[in-house]
Amino acid sequence: MLSISESTYLGLDLSTQQLKAVVLDDKFEVIHEATVHFDNDLPEFRTHGGVIHEKTNPGVVTAPTLMWVKAVDMLIDRLTVCGVDYSKIAAISGAAQQHGSVYWNNGAENVLQNLNPSLFLHQQLACSFSVNQSPTWMDSSTSKQCKLLEDTVGGPIELAEITGSRGYERFTGTQIAKIATTRQEAYKSTERISLISSFLCSLFLGKIAPIDLVEASGMNLMDIKTKKWNQQLLDACGANLEQKLGQPVPSNTKLGTISSYYIERWNFDPKCQIIVFTGDNSASLVGIRLNKGWIAVSLGTSDTIFLWLNEPHVVLDGHVFCNPVDKDSYIGLLCFKNGSLARERIRNNCSEGSWELFNQLLDSTPRGNFGNIGLYYNVQEIIPFLCGDYRFNKAGDRIMKFTSLEVEVRALIEGQFIAKRAYAEDFGFIFDKDTKILATGGASCNKAILQVMADVFNAPVYVADVINSAAVGSAYQAKIGLLEPESTFEEIISSLPAPKLVCTPYPDAMEIYEPMVQRYRNIVATLTEERKTL
Ligand code: ADP
Ligand code: XUL
């Protein structure tokens, strides 16, 4: 039985474009929040959308590790200005963009354990990284290493059977393998390797934090059934990798109390517990409280779909991760890199940068868009593996331009959801009368976009009344981790309101979109075939 207390919980989210924090009271009301936006608040690191696309190395997308450290310094300053009482924070957890990795230099853990409370973190950790630019989830430069890992265990299906995914460019194992071969000295002087989530956690724990199991499922290195590293895959990536990674731990694990740095510098409670940090997707699932029978769609920098799985399916397009909510089940995940940034580009081209105008254009075109279909990829997409813009008219001919701005806007939004439906079906998900969709992420406040999703999926769309679901989910996780096993997950979150219905599909939706999903499949088959012959 829970008792109401004065305790508060801090949840963090280090996403692609910003670092966010929320402080929740014991009833899960948000009492403080603060954000550090990388491009605007830390211009000295010259990121665009929070990352750096290396001009001379196509596909290489990194972020300066020290920028994230400096963002933590700034965030705490901002929370202080908001009036946060640090002595009341009972537990902290956090999330970060998945797959990206951080390389700690020899001696870095010692620096972390002996931080001087009168200095900023970034002043003390400036020499703590053996690789200064962290590979991020947007990187697509490791196709060679994907093949290496697949060949190590007998092929893509075998790798998917063991780790939940065939070789993926952004997955950490392939990124580590690239660094181990192309930057041998840096790899040798790497004491530990963290994921971005466990790196952020380490800054609060004052020592290198372990990796969360759900996060470890996004590395192409862990056996998702035994929940242990696969030695053959570790060996294929680099020497002594097990030592550098440490063993993964289950979600919600209590890791210990907060680093003395925060107690002395900011007056945190010495009893404040650090709960293992996880991936943004996993924290969002906790934030929106995904349950059996629902399909969740996150519309953030990337668009991501989550499907609840009782068993780990073997799929080649998509991923199977351990489930953060129910340790015996799994989550099917589909990630589309060109989410909000592609929508922003078309919004800027067609509606002067205004979402309002964008929505008017979208609403002024009929469902089905007169038979026009568009695929828009600012950067190399994950599924399908395509880049650039592709427009097709009703007759199926590829055209360079649509006849109007409103057709372009609808082609983008319909195309994005048609793709999601096609790949979710390939995962074995059946859209039927019981399907319910839970929308989250930055674009889930846009009802015109959600209406297209309801129509294409022919299912009602709900929104969980949660803004910043990854940060809020992390704060829930902080409390869950603190109170489990004495209180159960269900007990802890029982006071939260149910998701709200926002859109229902029009009666003609199925008739219009089923054939379009088939047309989309044919288009993608032709385009990917053409790409192979280039
Ligand atoms: P992240 O994945 O980085 O956590 P968020 O989930 O916060 O990102 O989403 C950020 C994105 O939300 C922005 O890139 C922006 O394009 C999008 N967004 C914000 N408001 C709207 C809106 N009204 N309509 C559509 N998209 C929006
Ligand atoms: C998921 C993925 C992205 C990042 C974005 O596999 O790569 O959703 O987590 O933050």
mmCIF file of all heavy atoms in Angstrom, residues 6 29 64 68 85 139-140 144 146 178 201 225 235 242 301 417 518 530:
data_model
loop_
_atom_site.group_PDB
_atom_site.id
_atom_site.type_symbol
_atom_site.label_atom_id
_atom_site.label_comp_id
_atom_site.label_asym_id
_atom_site.label_seq_id
_atom_site.Cartn_x
_atom_site.Cartn_y
_atom_site.Cartn_z
ATOM 1 N N GLU A 6 5.899 13.616 0.494
ATOM 2 C CA GLU A 6 6.418 14.861 -0.085
ATOM 3 C C GLU A 6 7.430 14.584 -1.174
ATOM 4 O O GLU A 6 7.973 15.495 -1.776
ATOM 5 C CB GLU A 6 7.148 15.619 1.026
ATOM 6 C CG GLU A 6 6.270 16.127 2.111
ATOM 7 C CD GLU A 6 6.365 17.635 2.150
ATOM 8 O OE1 GLU A 6 7.399 18.142 2.585
ATOM 9 O OE2 GLU A 6 5.404 18.281 1.679
ATOM 10 N N GLU A 29 2.007 14.526 -10.748
ATOM 11 C CA GLU A 29 1.761 15.824 -11.400
ATOM 12 C C GLU A 29 3.121 16.427 -11.736
ATOM 13 O O GLU A 29 4.042 16.379 -10.904
ATOM 14 C CB GLU A 29 1.047 16.794 -10.447
ATOM 15 C CG GLU A 29 -0.350 16.397 -10.022
ATOM 16 C CD GLU A 29 -1.338 16.446 -11.186
ATOM 17 O OE1 GLU A 29 -1.092 17.219 -12.125
ATOM 18 O OE2 GLU A 29 -2.322 15.666 -11.137
ATOM 19 N N PRO A 64 28.760 15.564 -30.456
ATOM 20 C CA PRO A 64 29.884 15.722 -29.541
ATOM 21 C C PRO A 64 29.484 15.283 -28.126
ATOM 22 O O PRO A 64 28.538 15.819 -27.555
ATOM 23 C CB PRO A 64 30.159 17.236 -29.557
ATOM 24 C CG PRO A 64 29.294 17.800 -30.639
ATOM 25 C CD PRO A 64 28.201 16.841 -30.924
ATOM 26 N N TRP A 68 26.736 16.924 -24.611
ATOM 27 C CA TRP A 68 25.729 16.351 -23.724
ATOM 28 C C TRP A 68 26.095 16.606 -22.255
ATOM 29 O O TRP A 68 25.222 16.843 -21.429
ATOM 30 C CB TRP A 68 25.589 14.848 -23.985
ATOM 31 C CG TRP A 68 25.043 14.516 -25.349
ATOM 32 C CD1 TRP A 68 24.176 15.262 -26.103
ATOM 33 C CD2 TRP A 68 25.306 13.340 -26.126
ATOM 34 N NE1 TRP A 68 23.896 14.625 -27.284
ATOM 35 C CE2 TRP A 68 24.569 13.441 -27.323
ATOM 36 C CE3 TRP A 68 26.093 12.206 -25.930
ATOM 37 C CZ2 TRP A 68 24.595 12.462 -28.318
ATOM 38 C CZ3 TRP A 68 26.118 11.220 -26.910
ATOM 39 C CH2 TRP A 68 25.381 11.347 -28.091
ATOM 40 N N ASP A 85 13.361 21.896 -5.431
ATOM 41 C CA ASP A 85 13.946 21.567 -4.132
ATOM 42 C C ASP A 85 14.592 20.181 -4.266
ATOM 43 O O ASP A 85 13.916 19.152 -4.213
ATOM 44 C CB ASP A 85 12.828 21.559 -3.072
ATOM 45 C CG ASP A 85 13.370 21.229 -1.683
ATOM 46 O OD1 ASP A 85 14.554 20.812 -1.595
ATOM 47 O OD2 ASP A 85 12.614 21.357 -0.711
ATOM 48 N N ASP A 139 23.210 7.346 -37.645
ATOM 49 C CA ASP A 139 24.336 6.923 -38.473
ATOM 50 C C ASP A 139 23.931 5.729 -39.351
ATOM 51 O O ASP A 139 23.207 4.834 -38.919
ATOM 52 C CB ASP A 139 25.492 6.505 -37.549
ATOM 53 C CG ASP A 139 26.766 6.260 -38.333
ATOM 54 O OD1 ASP A 139 26.871 5.199 -38.977
ATOM 55 O OD2 ASP A 139 27.637 7.143 -38.310
ATOM 56 N N SER A 140 24.409 5.744 -40.596
ATOM 57 C CA SER A 140 24.107 4.594 -41.465
ATOM 58 C C SER A 140 25.367 4.148 -42.201
ATOM 59 O O SER A 140 25.317 3.705 -43.338
ATOM 60 C CB SER A 140 22.997 4.964 -42.457
ATOM 61 O OG SER A 140 23.391 6.084 -43.225
ATOM 62 N N LYS A 144 29.083 -2.626 -43.766
ATOM 63 C CA LYS A 144 30.104 -3.674 -43.779
ATOM 64 C C LYS A 144 30.083 -4.471 -42.460
ATOM 65 O O LYS A 144 30.157 -5.697 -42.457
ATOM 66 C CB LYS A 144 31.477 -2.987 -43.933
ATOM 67 C CG LYS A 144 32.502 -3.804 -44.650
ATOM 68 C CD LYS A 144 33.662 -2.932 -45.079
ATOM 69 C CE LYS A 144 34.901 -3.272 -44.273
ATOM 70 N NZ LYS A 144 35.965 -2.292 -44.452
ATOM 71 N N CYS A 146 27.561 -4.717 -40.441
ATOM 72 C CA CYS A 146 26.292 -5.464 -40.324
ATOM 73 C C CYS A 146 26.500 -6.851 -40.922
ATOM 74 O O CYS A 146 26.111 -7.872 -40.350
ATOM 75 C CB CYS A 146 25.175 -4.769 -41.102
ATOM 76 S SG CYS A 146 24.655 -3.232 -40.375
ATOM 77 N N LYS A 178 33.146 -0.962 -35.957
ATOM 78 C CA LYS A 178 33.787 -0.001 -36.868
ATOM 79 C C LYS A 178 34.900 0.754 -36.133
ATOM 80 O O LYS A 178 36.012 0.889 -36.655
ATOM 81 C CB LYS A 178 32.728 0.981 -37.392
ATOM 82 C CG LYS A 178 33.269 1.955 -38.403
ATOM 83 C CD LYS A 178 32.155 2.860 -38.922
ATOM 84 C CE LYS A 178 32.668 4.248 -39.157
ATOM 85 N NZ LYS A 178 31.620 5.233 -39.280
ATOM 86 N N CYS A 201 23.285 8.210 -17.117
ATOM 87 C CA CYS A 201 23.096 7.646 -15.776
ATOM 88 C C CYS A 201 24.404 7.725 -14.991
ATOM 89 O O CYS A 201 24.413 8.095 -13.803
ATOM 90 C CB CYS A 201 22.640 6.198 -15.923
ATOM 91 S SG CYS A 201 22.221 5.422 -14.378
ATOM 92 N N LYS A 225 16.690 -14.013 -25.596
ATOM 93 C CA LYS A 225 15.990 -15.027 -24.788
ATOM 94 C C LYS A 225 16.722 -15.270 -23.465
ATOM 95 O O LYS A 225 16.106 -15.283 -22.412
ATOM 96 C CB LYS A 225 15.856 -16.329 -25.576
ATOM 97 C CG LYS A 225 14.962 -16.149 -26.792
ATOM 98 C CD LYS A 225 14.540 -17.480 -27.389
ATOM 99 C CE LYS A 225 14.152 -17.318 -28.836
ATOM 100 N NZ LYS A 225 15.292 -17.274 -29.771
ATOM 101 N N ASP A 235 33.076 -11.095 -29.613
ATOM 102 C CA ASP A 235 34.429 -11.322 -30.134
ATOM 103 C C ASP A 235 34.582 -10.773 -31.554
ATOM 104 O O ASP A 235 35.662 -10.310 -31.925
ATOM 105 C CB ASP A 235 34.777 -12.819 -30.116
ATOM 106 C CG ASP A 235 34.906 -13.330 -28.693
ATOM 107 O OD1 ASP A 235 35.057 -12.489 -27.778
ATOM 108 O OD2 ASP A 235 34.838 -14.560 -28.488
ATOM 109 N N GLU A 242 33.378 -7.594 -23.469
ATOM 110 C CA GLU A 242 32.512 -7.856 -22.310
ATOM 111 C C GLU A 242 32.916 -6.968 -21.131
ATOM 112 O O GLU A 242 32.075 -6.376 -20.464
ATOM 113 C CB GLU A 242 32.594 -9.333 -21.930
ATOM 114 C CG GLU A 242 31.562 -9.691 -20.876
ATOM 115 C CD GLU A 242 31.389 -11.185 -20.708
ATOM 116 O OE1 GLU A 242 32.163 -11.951 -21.328
ATOM 117 O OE2 GLU A 242 30.497 -11.570 -19.941
ATOM 118 N N THR A 301 11.343 12.896 -33.504
ATOM 119 C CA THR A 301 12.329 13.112 -34.555
ATOM 120 C C THR A 301 12.262 11.914 -35.496
ATOM 121 O O THR A 301 12.165 12.059 -36.717
ATOM 122 C CB THR A 301 13.745 13.223 -33.941
ATOM 123 O OG1 THR A 301 13.718 14.261 -32.978
ATOM 124 C CG2 THR A 301 14.773 13.540 -35.003
ATOM 125 N N PHE A 417 2.135 7.081 -43.201
ATOM 126 C CA PHE A 417 1.337 6.105 -42.444
ATOM 127 C C PHE A 417 1.095 4.818 -43.232
ATOM 128 O O PHE A 417 0.994 3.729 -42.645
ATOM 129 C CB PHE A 417 0.030 6.741 -41.948
ATOM 130 C CG PHE A 417 0.306 7.725 -40.849
ATOM 131 C CD1 PHE A 417 0.036 9.079 -41.013
ATOM 132 C CD2 PHE A 417 0.873 7.301 -39.661
ATOM 133 C CE1 PHE A 417 0.334 9.990 -40.009
ATOM 134 C CE2 PHE A 417 1.177 8.213 -38.649
ATOM 135 C CZ PHE A 417 0.892 9.555 -38.827
ATOM 136 N N GLN A 518 -1.184 -1.792 -50.883
ATOM 137 C CA GLN A 518 -0.644 -2.721 -51.879
ATOM 138 C C GLN A 518 0.182 -1.970 -52.935
ATOM 139 O O GLN A 518 1.263 -2.411 -53.314
ATOM 140 C CB GLN A 518 -1.807 -3.512 -52.518
ATOM 141 C CG GLN A 518 -1.367 -4.750 -53.276
ATOM 142 C CD GLN A 518 -0.291 -5.583 -52.540
ATOM 143 O OE1 GLN A 518 -0.426 -5.911 -51.363
ATOM 144 N NE2 GLN A 518 0.826 -5.877 -53.219
ATOM 145 N N GLU A 530 15.609 -1.269 -58.150
ATOM 146 C CA GLU A 530 16.368 -0.313 -58.980
ATOM 147 C C GLU A 530 17.646 0.108 -58.264
ATOM 148 O O GLU A 530 18.699 0.228 -58.860
ATOM 149 C CB GLU A 530 15.552 0.969 -59.213
ATOM 150 C CG GLU A 530 14.605 0.886 -60.383
ATOM 151 C CD GLU A 530 13.674 2.107 -60.413
ATOM 152 O OE1 GLU A 530 13.986 3.144 -59.802
ATOM 153 O OE2 GLU A 530 12.605 1.975 -61.048
#
